[in-house]
Amino acid sequence: MPSTGAIAGRRAPSHQRRHARLELWARYRRHLYADEDLDLVLDVSRVRFPESLFDAMSKRVGAALDAMEHLEAGGLANADEQRQVGHYWLRAPMLAPSLQRRDIIDAIAQVRRFACSVRSGEIAGPGGRFEHVIHVGIGGSALGPQLVSEACGRPADALMVHFLDNADPDAIDVLLGRLGDALPRTLVSVVSKSGLTPTPWQVMLELEAAFHEQGLGLARQAVATTMAATPLDRRAAEHGWLARFPVWDWVGGRTSVTSPVGLLPAALAGMDIGAFLAGAAAMDRTTRQRSMAANPAVLMALMWYWLGDGRGGKRMVVLPYKDRLALLPRYVQQLVMESVGKRHNRRGEVVEQGLTVYGHKGSTDQHAYMQQLRDGTPDFFITFVNVAHDRDGPSPVVASGATLGDHLFGYAEGSRQALHDRGRDSISIDLPDVSPSSLGALIALYERATGLYGELIDVNAYDQPGVDKYGAADVIALQRLVVVGLRKLKAPATAEMIATLIGRPDETETVFKLLRRLARDPLRGVAEIRGNDRFDARFRSIEGSVL
Amino acid sequence: MPSTGAIAGRRAPSHQRRHARLELWARYRRHLYADEDLDLVLDVSRVRFPESLFDAMSKRVGAALDAMEHLEAGGLANADEQRQVGHYWLRAPMLAPSLQRRDIIDAIAQVRRFACSVRSGEIAGPGGRFEHVIHVGIGGSALGPQLVSEACGRPADALMVHFLDNADPDAIDVLLGRLGDALPRTLVSVVSKSGLTPTPWQVMLELEAAFHEQGLGLARQAVATTMAATPLDRRAAEHGWLARFPVWDWVGGRTSVTSPVGLLPAALAGMDIGAFLAGAAAMDRTTRQRSMAANPAVLMALMWYWLGDGRGGKRMVVLPYKDRLALLPRYVQQLVMESVGKRHNRRGEVVEQGLTVYGHKGSTDQHAYMQQLRDGTPDFFITFVNVAHDRDGPSPVVASGATLGDHLFGYAEGSRQALHDRGRDSISIDLPDVSPSSLGALIALYERATGLYGELIDVNAYDQPGVDKYGAADVIALQRLVVVGLRKLKAPATAEMIATLIGRPDETETVFKLLRRLARDPLRGVAEIRGNDRFDARFRSIEGSVL
């Protein structure tokens, strides 16, 4: 409406427009999904799908729901890796096979007990009661816990959770600098499902050194979350860490937030993890329904499919109007893009599928890229996420008889309408609040929608064959060859000469970059002698290398 | 290389592959842009443009450079708004028209003086020396300052800068909760170029109330950055705020980071703003060059143009391998999408242009959406941003004779190669460090590339006609009508009845949402009486409304 100034009496709407708006209201009523228990609303009325869509897709949706049933019953849903996919069991252990059931129940109890002991001070650090947690993990081992922490954390929480989710040494220094002399009251939680993910392992080694430098032993302040008998699990056992929490083969990283991976930091911060699990479980029940109109995950997956023609032809902009949910778009980005961004379909055909997700938060982003969304390339759809609860406590009126929260709602509603007026489609999700329960439900909704969408486009949504291809290992191995090769040099040599010397002339470019990188740091034992241009530079080994 | 395991001796590369890699090395050498002064490298060799591109585009690039000269000479580059575009003057005042020159020099001096007085404690709050700054602004008034703060902030900084960049009341409560009893030592900096942007204004009113509740007067702890004689400027003057800093008509929000908008919070935190401005100025000098190969902004704009066919046909993924730069993708997203996401070209034709930008940080994102980038839809290109300086101080060896920083480099280099092997193009920018100087240069590079790209596709890159269309004002006005209408009701009525009553039946959907929203909060004076379904609910006014 803002685009025409049609409401609030500025200009009477034309009959045509009035008619169109009344039709939209009818469409809104007709297609609204409202979950009275969860107090959650999904509105797909502003996607211009034809009414025939449901009939046309009912068979395929039925097959997708069948596949989800098979998955939940313990079938090998991740065929490539011959693995079960069990994240739905995490919040409904009674539905899990008996072995998994026991594991889940025990793990949740163990998380609760441990968090309780830490918060009570029964388990404490050498400096007393723990006040901080450093959560070390990457990808699925970090993003879910970060989302939960930002969404549900409170300034009064007894423990503050910090994250190290990258191989960036400077980030470690910044965090340790911030923690200052609180290190003796800091718990370190290392999370790696495989127990050998390089980055968390290496960050752990860095922290060990930093703790040691302050006269602290990491073991006395550390816990591990990993599968049984992994290198991390063994190290934690051998070094006598405070505790070890399980995660299982049948939980994927990007869907591990309702496992100990996400529950432990949440419980440590004091969040009601029971409510979180219950919210997810309630949404799971709802999204098992066969009726398309009564299943919000089906509605969402169907919209994604229709909007992008089953090819991801439109980018999905996720826009929560709430600072606490600013990480939701990145969480959904990981969940969706890693699940459906696949080269092959299940029949082995090359399909190069995907569904690009981005976004941050409204109304802030209205002042950033929304200019393009309204006026520019129409290659996207938006999902607005609104939160009814503005804040704890009353709000002052800040303008026009309205509160700040009223304005936030106004921005979302105004944007939805302005985009619709320009033919840009949108989905809206209304949440009652950002509570553990609502967050659990929202996450479960996106998990199920992603799984169903994966079925509709016939890709394995549970593997990630491309991720392992990005390792640093080959570059690091090349670096070793370079360092060793340099030591054998009789005279300084160019990158091209050194690459040939070590038998890798095809890797000259990377050798060149490695040499320049090493030569920048006086402690690395590599000297650069400048030439006529940067490519003529010669390098030699010098004494005192730390490598 | 990781995708084939070709290096490090695992498998000898085929002759074909070896040849291809050597050709890439030659291409790398041929096209590398290296700025020896700034120690900045731009590598476009992994974009598969044909060598004929430069000749083919030279006339249009020449015209784009002419347009930038015209702009820098003070022409009305923003034709729609009849405004000059002067952000390049901010770091080279001698190039500015004389009036602007004086203003810039005075403003920088004022920022320096004020920051120095605050840091020395000469200007202090009622609780003593200022320790915190709350920066209140939205869009261009926040994102640049946030980027600078994250990139260059240190744990030891005397002042910590916090941001309120949204109309989210809960976000205010969270920040005030964190600050706790530090409020008397907290400076509030309100930034709004127009001086009437609703969100910062309303957040300011909220803060005023919160300060008042703690017996504090906001005026004694507040500064404003705004154009002269705006409502914010007048209020700050009348209430006797600590200081007022200027920003000018000829500085756009998304390019205001080298104006007092960005300089003030940076200077307060203790950053060397002289080095920041000098880095930007040096890049500006470089990017004024007519030679395409010697002008990194031309190279970048040309790649964007070639990759997306001048239509934004490929999404730009920006991936800095450094936590400190995690906000860079969002900064570039705002800069690029708000600048080039336009409905019309300069000739008035409907073009619906745009260039979508997203990303966060490497190597973290390799564990998120990079699965799709390598295996899925090839609808993007990446810009890798590498930082040579790992950290202050030495690094321990964490694995395979290598440091954590070596691994971070390895991930970037490995990903670049793995993507190239799959036919995905990338640009790389190498920075020496994340210093004020490098950051200034990087920002100036993106500013100029965006301006040049705007010229190449013939859009006005300096207006944002779509942004004003998203206002909350019409929804808020409707809310007032609803509240007044409710009070006149003799008996509870449905949303449809109320919408008709207030003469806005076409707005029934929004009226319905507003009623439900108001009825949720017992303080808002609206009661809901449930019906058979949610649309039958009736509403009435109750006593004690705060509105």
Side-chain angles (χ1 to χ4, degrees), chain A residues 213-514:
Chain A
E213 219 166 83
Q214 294 206 18
L216 301 165
L218 185 71
R220 279 196 56 198
Q221 304 178 231
V223 299
T225 302
T226 181
M227 292 198 300
T230 63
L232 176 60
D233 192 46
R234 285 199 301 273
R235 186 182 181 97
E238 284 161 17
H239 289 214
W241 287 19
L242 289 175
R244 292 174 292 145
F245 299 91
V247 62
W248 309 277
D249 181 56
W250 41 268
V251 176
R254 57 185 172 276
T255 52
S256 65
V257 69
T258 54
S259 81
V261 171
L263 296 181
L264 180 64
L268 286 168
M271 187 175 100
D272 181 350
I273 62 171
F276 180 59
L277 292 168
M283 180 55 76
D284 288 341
R285 284 192 299 276
T286 295
T287 54
R288 280 184 198 112
Q289 295 184 71
R290 307 288 308 191
S291 155
M292 288 194 259
N295 186 328
V298 166
L299 286 173
M300 267 171 56
L302 214 47
M303 294 302 117
W304 301 353
Y305 188 91
W306 187 83
L307 282 158
D309 212 15
R311 295 283 318 149
K314 300 253 182 197
R315 263 47 63 182
M316 172 156 61
V317 179
V318 178
L319 217 49
Y321 278 68
K322 201 74 181 169
D323 282 18
R324 284 184 178 277
L325 291 177
L327 282 181
L328 178 71
R330 277 184 51 221
Y331 182 84
V332 174
Q333 179 184 60
Q334 171 179 279
L335 177 65
V336 172
M337 292 178 76
E338 199 168 27
S339 297
V340 310
K342 297 289 156 68
R343 184 166 169 81
H344 298 102
N345 65 13
R346 284 215 190 90
R347 285 166 291 166
E349 296 159 348
V350 174
V351 290
E352 293 195 326
Q353 270 283 7
L355 177 54
T356 299
V357 181
Y358 67 96
H360 177 232
K361 67 178 182 184
S363 66
T364 307
D365 290 5
Q366 295 184 205
H367 297 259
Y369 56 83
M370 220 188 261
Q371 160 66 33
Q372 174 172 320
L373 298 195
R374 181 172 179 276
D375 284 359
T377 330
D379 64 349
F380 69 94
F381 64 98
I382 288 201
T383 304
F384 292 100
V385 181
N386 295 299
V387 177
H389 183 73
D390 289 340
R391 69 174 2 142
D392 301 334
S395 278
V397 165
V398 290
S400 312
T403 65
L404 195 60
D406 293 340
H407 281 84
L408 191 63
F409 171 75
Y411 288 117
E413 191 65 11
S415 300
R416 172 172 170 276
Q417 189 55 40
L419 287 166
H420 181 266
D421 288 346
R422 272 287 166 79
R424 273 72 169 155
D425 288 322
S426 66
I427 296 170
S428 293
I429 298 172
D430 298 342
L431 300 176
D433 50 31
V434 188
S435 61
S437 163
S438 298
L439 185 65
L442 184 65
I443 288 172
L445 174 60
Y446 270 105
E447 284 179 353
R448 184 81 57 158
T450 303
L452 289 167
Y453 182 76
E455 298 299 334
L456 289 179
I457 63 170
D458 195 27
V459 299
N460 178 354
Y462 306 101
D463 65 353
Q464 50 282 332
V467 168
D468 296 339
K469 309 305 182 189
Y470 291 116
D474 290 340
V475 177
I476 297 296
L478 190 65
Q479 178 175 318
R480 289 207 83 146
L481 288 179
V482 166
V483 169
V484 171
L486 271 180
R487 293 207 186 113
K488 291 188 195 147
L489 280 180
K490 301 268 186 281
T494 64
E496 286 182 352
M497 292 157 69
I498 293 164
T500 303
L501 175 80
I502 62 172
R504 293 285 171 271
D506 52 307
E507 292 298 341
T508 304
E509 186 183 315
T510 307
V511 168
F512 173 72
K513 290 179 186 170
L514 285 168

Side-chain angles (χ1 to χ4, degrees), chain B residues 244-469:
Chain B
R244 292 174 292 146
F245 299 91
V247 61
W248 308 277
D249 182 56
W250 41 268
V251 176
R254 57 187 172 276
T255 53
S256 65
V257 69
T258 53
S259 81
V261 171
L263 297 181
L264 179 64
L268 287 168
M271 187 176 103
D272 182 351
I273 61 170
F276 181 60
L277 292 168
M283 180 55 75
D284 288 341
R285 284 193 297 276
T286 294
T287 53
R288 280 184 198 113
Q289 294 183 73
R290 307 289 307 191
S291 153
M292 288 194 258
N295 186 328
V298 166
L299 285 173
M300 269 172 54
L302 215 47
M303 294 303 115
W304 299 355
Y305 188 91
W306 186 82
L307 282 158
D309 211 15
R311 293 284 317 151
K314 300 254 182 198
R315 265 46 62 182
M316 172 156 60
V317 179
V318 178
L319 217 48
Y321 277 68
K322 202 77 184 166
D323 282 19
R324 286 185 176 277
L325 291 178
L327 282 182
L328 179 70
R330 277 184 50 221
Y331 184 83
V332 174
Q333 179 184 59
Q334 171 178 279
L335 177 64
V336 172
M337 292 177 76
E338 199 169 26
S339 296
V340 310
K342 297 287 156 72
R343 185 166 169 80
H344 298 102
N345 65 12
R346 284 216 189 89
R347 284 166 294 168
E349 294 158 350
V350 173
V351 289
E352 293 195 327
Q353 271 282 5
L355 177 54
T356 298
V357 180
Y358 66 97
H360 178 231
K361 68 179 182 184
S363 65
T364 307
D365 290 5
Q366 294 184 206
H367 297 259
Y369 56 83
M370 220 188 260
Q371 160 65 35
Q372 175 172 318
L373 298 195
R374 179 172 179 275
D375 284 358
T377 329
D379 65 347
F380 70 93
F381 64 99
I382 288 201
T383 304
F384 292 101
V385 180
N386 294 300
V387 177
H389 182 73
D390 289 339
R391 69 176 0 144
D392 301 335
S395 277
V397 165
V398 289
S400 312
T403 65
L404 194 61
D406 294 340
H407 281 83
L408 191 62
F409 170 76
Y411 288 116
E413 191 66 11
S415 299
R416 172 173 171 275
Q417 188 56 41
L419 287 167
H420 181 266
D421 288 347
R422 273 283 166 82
R424 273 72 169 155
D425 290 321
S426 66
I427 297 170
S428 293
I429 298 172
D430 297 343
L431 301 176
D433 49 32
V434 188
S435 61
S437 162
S438 298
L439 185 66
L442 184 65
I443 288 171
L445 174 61
Y446 270 105
E447 283 179 354
R448 184 80 57 158
T450 303
L452 289 167
Y453 182 76
E455 298 299 333
L456 290 179
I457 64 169
D458 195 27
V459 299
N460 178 354
Y462 306 102
D463 64 355
Q464 50 283 331
V467 168
D468 296 339
K469 310 303 183 191

Side-chain angles (χ1 to χ4, degrees), chain B residues 146-205:
Chain B
Q146 279 169 307
L147 170 65
V148 172
S149 174
E150 274 207 19
C152 299
R154 310 258 156 201
D157 287 346
L159 279 98
M160 268 191 73
V161 189
H162 312 269
F163 294 89
L164 289 175
D165 66 347
N166 199 6
D168 179 3
D170 176 65
I172 299 174
D173 296 345
V174 169
L175 177 57
L176 294 180
R178 288 222 179 98
L179 289 174
D181 53 16
L183 219 52
R185 300 180 300 284
T186 299
L187 184 69
V188 173
S189 173
V190 183
V191 183
S192 165
K193 181 182 162 188
S194 69
L196 39 73
T197 319
T199 294
W201 186 274
Q202 293 163 9
V203 171
M204 171 191 77
L205 295 178

